[in-house]
Amino acid sequence: MKRLPALDVAVAAAVTAVLVLLTLAQPATATTAVDAPVWVRCLVAAGVGLPLALRRRHPVGVYCVVLAVSLLSLFVNTAKDSFLAAAFVLYTVALERPGHRWTLFTGLAAVGAAGVLGVSGSATPYWWMNGPGLIPFGWAVMVCGWIAGRAGRERRAYAVRAAEEHAARAVAEERMHIARELHDVVAHSMGVIAVQAGIANYVRAGGGGDARLGEALQVIEATSRGALAEIRRLLEVLRAEDGPDGVPKTGLSALPGLVERAAAAGVTVRTRIDLDRPLPEGVELAVYRIVQEALTNVVKHAGPVACRVDVEASGHELRVEIVDDGPPCSGAPAGEPGHGLRGMRERVMMYGGELAADPCPGGGFAVRARIPL
């Protein structure tokens, strides 16, 4: 059996104690009350307060009991709560049981009937406890209890909708993140493969350079195998039964592999990494993908040139620079920025940073990113 909420038990005990004490303090008889023994009057008072302990488990049933006993208390010489306890349970009904509007109308009708009949167990100095005075006060507390319950239910529903929308946005963002990862993997690997395939065709057409031909084919094989393995890992994340719960992490430790593949395509890369603190995994992944995309553009659009990659973290800022010394307007696709540059900019903006990708004045192309730490 489930335990009752401590708050409900405390409220029920407090209301019962107050009503019983007030009942015992009242005169034994009254002009308009049924002359009932003390134990009956105390039992009626307890019937108003004690059921409140069950209001969360059986709100409709407790409401009917409390409302009926509250009406009964008007006919005997017992302390009256002017339907405050019934309004309190009505709040729970409106909060937990949508569609039970009849409970509100039943309460309003009961209060109205009690006021019209002018029943009042004992004379009190308060107008809202006697005869017709019960009507405006009783109706007010009933309506306030119902409105408060409805407002609480709307807040709960809004919180549930907000949580569902947040979860849906999180899943959509994670899938978009995975889509960017797939683009970066495919674009980089296919760029290297295309360059090496071109070299292989050129060497084959020239009829010589078996060593260079074999080298190019080895690079193509290694790059394609690596791309397939990484794509397979990403697809496993997408196919997970519980949804995407994370993208395989790649960080600065994998930069030498990028440098080797770029070198195989004829690009001489000099790297410098100077960090004064460990970087978060997400930031490391963003740096890796930025360098990967930038080197891919150098391989595809600048050809066999020299390139430097600087990653420096000092103070509260991380700076990443990829600069090549190719011909003017090299190192990036011509025309409108493609998915690669857009993806780099999105990664940097996700951490509140800035990215610039522009031709250098003396030739070549530079990609510079700044990420706050």
Side-chain angles (χ1 to χ4, degrees):
M1 185 175 180
K2 296 182 178 178
R3 297 178 59 186
L4 299 178
L7 178 61
D8 290 346
V9 174
V11 169
V15 172
T16 302
V18 170
L19 291 179
V20 170
L21 290 176
L22 292 177
T23 298
L24 294 174
Q26 289 181 171
T29 59
T31 55
T32 58
V34 176
D35 189 9
V38 175
W39 68 270
V40 173
R41 292 186 281 123
C42 292
L43 184 62
V44 172
V48 175
L50 290 180
L52 298 180
L54 299 171
R55 69 181 183 92
R56 296 180 193 268
R57 298 183 59 183
H58 308 287
V60 177
V62 171
Y63 171 74
C64 294
V65 171
V66 172
L67 181 63
V69 179
S70 296
L71 288 172
L72 179 61
S73 69
L74 299 177
F75 292 89
V76 298
N77 190 29
T78 186
K80 294 168 289 298
D81 69 333
S82 299
F83 299 97
L84 287 172
F88 180 56
V89 185
L90 184 62
Y91 158 80
T92 307
V93 174
L95 180 68
E96 304 288 350
R97 298 291 188 270
H100 285 67
R101 291 187 178 88
W102 62 267
T103 54
L104 172 63
F105 300 140
T106 302
L108 296 179
V111 172
V116 170
L117 294 175
V119 292
S120 181
S122 61
T124 66
Y126 307 108
W127 63 268
W128 41 271
M129 286 188 177
N130 299 301
L134 284 171
I135 296 178
F137 183 80
W139 282 357
V141 296
M142 287 288 184
V143 172
C144 288
W146 179 264
I147 292 176
R150 288 290 300 272
R153 184 155 55 85
E154 290 298 327
R155 284 196 301 270
R156 285 185 179 181
Y158 174 78
V160 170
R161 290 195 300 270
E164 291 175 349
E165 292 173 359
H166 177 73
R169 284 197 303 270
V171 172
E173 290 173 1
E174 187 68 18
R175 291 188 179 277
M176 182 63 69
H177 183 51
I178 293 174
R180 286 198 299 264
E181 297 299 315
L182 284 172
H183 167 267
D184 292 343
V185 171
V186 173
H188 172 75
S189 302
M190 292 301 104
V192 174
I193 289 173
V195 171
Q196 294 299 321
I199 293 174
N201 282 330
Y202 176 78
V203 172
R204 183 182 59 81
D210 290 342
R212 291 192 61 192
L213 179 61
E215 235 176 72
L217 292 176
Q218 287 177 0
V219 172
I220 290 174
E221 180 184 6
T223 303
S224 59
R225 287 183 183 277
L228 287 174
E230 195 162 354
I231 291 173
R232 190 177 294 113
R233 288 197 298 270
L234 291 172
L235 291 177
E236 287 175 357
V237 173
L238 284 174
R239 290 171 179 169
E241 292 183 0
D242 296 332
D245 56 357
V247 180
K249 296 296 185 290
T250 306
L252 298 179
S253 60
L255 285 182
L258 291 180
V259 173
E260 290 179 4
R261 288 194 289 272
V267 178
T268 303
V269 182
R270 179 180 60 83
T271 61
R272 183 178 68 89
I273 300 177
D274 184 10
L275 306 177
D276 63 353
R277 72 187 70 182
L279 299 179
E281 287 186 352
V283 175
E284 280 204 27
L285 176 62
V287 172
Y288 176 86
R289 293 306 186 194
I290 290 171
V291 174
Q292 182 185 54
E293 182 63 31
L295 290 181
T296 300
N297 287 336
V298 172
V299 171
K300 290 167 60 178
H301 303 286
V305 297
C307 178
R308 64 177 175 86
V309 176
D310 293 335
V311 180
E312 181 181 1
S314 60
H316 299 285
E317 186 178 73
L318 172 68
R319 291 181 294 276
V320 182
E321 288 190 358
I322 304 96
V323 182
D324 69 79
D325 60 358
C329 298
S330 67
E336 293 296 324
H339 293 291
L341 291 178
R342 190 179 305 121
M344 286 192 289
R345 185 164 285 109
E346 288 175 355
R347 290 181 184 278
V348 173
M349 291 176 61
M350 185 168 58
Y351 295 99
E354 299 176 351
L355 182 133
D358 303 295
C360 298
F365 198 85
V367 175
R368 297 182 175 91
R370 300 173 61 187
I371 300 176
L373 297 177

